[in-house]
Amino acid sequence: MVLADRAAEYARQHPQTVRLCWVNHRIAVCEASEAVKMCAVPHVAACIVGAVADDKVMEDLLNRLIDGSEQ
């Protein structure tokens, strides 16, 4: 399964809000499912510095999407 699919499935099973930190220093709070959609698009993810979530599994999945890590 592709990382984006795993992250989307995890977000569906564990609904939560996450914070996305953008390169312009803006912080956006959104639902995990929306964050997955943004982090999975390479040109959007390039504008995101990192993701922060209370659930560290979700946080790790989002940050791996941001970094382009498929492992």
Side-chain angles (χ1 to χ4, degrees):
M1 185 182 288
V2 178
L3 181 59
D5 294 334
R6 283 195 318 230
E9 181 63 27
Y10 192 87
R12 276 192 294 279
Q13 293 175 359
H14 302 87
Q16 59 192 286
T17 56
V18 298
R19 293 181 307 239
L20 297 177
C21 307
W22 296 80
V23 294
N24 66 357
H25 304 288
R26 184 176 64 108
I27 296 175
V29 177
C30 59
E31 292 298 318
S33 57
E34 286 300 311
V36 169
K37 291 175 187 174
M38 288 187 272
C39 294
V41 178
H43 72 274
V44 175
C47 299
I48 302 172
V49 175
V52 178
D54 289 335
D55 181 334
K56 296 307 172 190
V57 173
M58 185 80 255
E59 183 176 311
D60 180 60
L61 288 166
L62 291 171
N63 283 313
R64 286 172 47 203
L65 281 172
I66 293 166
D67 294 340
S69 303
E70 280 293 324
Q71 301 174 14

